[in-house]
Amino acid sequence: MTVTPAARPVVDFWFDPACPWAWMTSRWMDEVGRVRDVDVRWHVMSLSVLNEKRDLPEHYRALMDDSWAAVRTIVAAARDHGDQVVKPLYDAIGTRRHPGGRKDTAQIIAESLAEVGLPAELAAVGATDEVDALLRESHAEAMALVGDDVGTPVVAIDGVGFFGPVITPAPKGDDAGRLFDGLALVTSVPGFYELKRSRTAGPQF
């Protein structure tokens, strides 16, 4: 009997670079790429878009206003230089913001563009709506999979998506692979929608 190898899973990962929980999940996905044969595609979504019509506490609204710049810069970089720059630029921004603990968004963006070898002029897009149609299109693709009552990250395996997983710390090695196997399993069950429990720890970078 001839056994046909299983197709390589395609993982689509949507993130907002401002979100520490998306950052944690992205570090797990990096580890999955080391221990499983997967094709990971990286996309932006936006907490600013998600929350723009919601009544938010003042401090959270300020965070949403600030988060436009980084995600717009990533969209502009992908538009001008291809999707292959999305992940390196996310890594550069996220490393400074999350484990680095920095909040100086403009400087973070400038340094990150330089690190990845992208033009500094891309940062100017962050203060405009020049790429908002592209940003909203990418965001809508994620929301179409999971609904708009969730946040970031959104992870889809072969077109079936969920919000999350929300994890801390990011699993390593075989633990990362086994978590991915479990997520792949639930995506194969048509009626599976949700698992959840209250978080008792913050992101452990």
Side-chain angles (χ1 to χ4, degrees), residues 44 46 49 68-80 121-139:
V44 294
S46 172
V49 171
W68 283 104
V71 74
R72 282 168 166 164
T73 301
I74 294 174
V75 172
R79 177 197 63 184
D80 295 350
E121 295 76 23
L122 287 169
V125 179
T128 75
D129 62 0
E130 179 181 330
V131 295
D132 281 12
L134 292 172
L135 171 57
R136 291 175 186 276
E137 180 181 350
S138 182
H139 179 87

Side-chain angles (χ1 to χ4, degrees), residues 6-165:
R8 188 184 195 201
V10 175
V11 180
D12 288 288
F13 191 112
W14 281 266
F15 64 90
D16 185 317
C19 179
W21 293 105
W23 177 257
M24 296 302 304
T25 307
S26 72
R27 302 309 94 183
W28 162 69
M29 187 54 62
D30 281 347
E31 191 71 8
V32 169
R34 298 183 184 100
V35 299
R36 295 291 186 271
D37 184 22
V38 295
D39 177 17
V40 184
R41 304 185 299 196
W42 299 87
H43 315 272
V44 294
M45 59 183 294
S46 172
L47 291 172
S48 300
V49 171
L50 185 67
N51 289 290
E52 63 185 345
K53 296 181 180 179
R54 296 177 179 176
D55 185 19
L56 301 174
E58 185 175 343
H59 73 280
Y60 195 70
R61 174 58 64 193
L63 176 63
M64 294 300 95
D65 291 344
D66 180 67
S67 69
W68 283 104
V71 74
R72 282 168 166 164
T73 301
I74 294 174
V75 172
R79 177 197 63 184
D80 295 350
H81 300 278
D83 290 340
Q84 71 275 7
V85 304
V86 170
K87 180 59 162 49
L89 188 53
Y90 176 39
D91 287 346
I93 292 171
T95 297
R96 289 168 171 80
R97 176 174 289 275
H98 300 303
R102 292 172 53 184
K103 304 298 182 185
D104 51 333
T105 299
Q107 187 61 29
I108 287 172
I109 291 172
E111 291 176 10
S112 299
L113 288 169
E115 177 182 321
V116 179
L118 292 169
E121 295 76 23
L122 287 169
V125 179
T128 75
D129 62 0
E130 179 181 330
V131 295
D132 281 12
L134 292 172
L135 171 57
R136 291 175 186 276
E137 180 181 350
S138 182
H139 179 87
E141 289 173 354
M143 296 298 97
L145 295 175
V146 297
D148 60 2
D149 58 346
V150 298
T152 177
V154 169
V155 178
I157 300 176
D158 293 333
V160 179
F162 287 97
F163 163 60

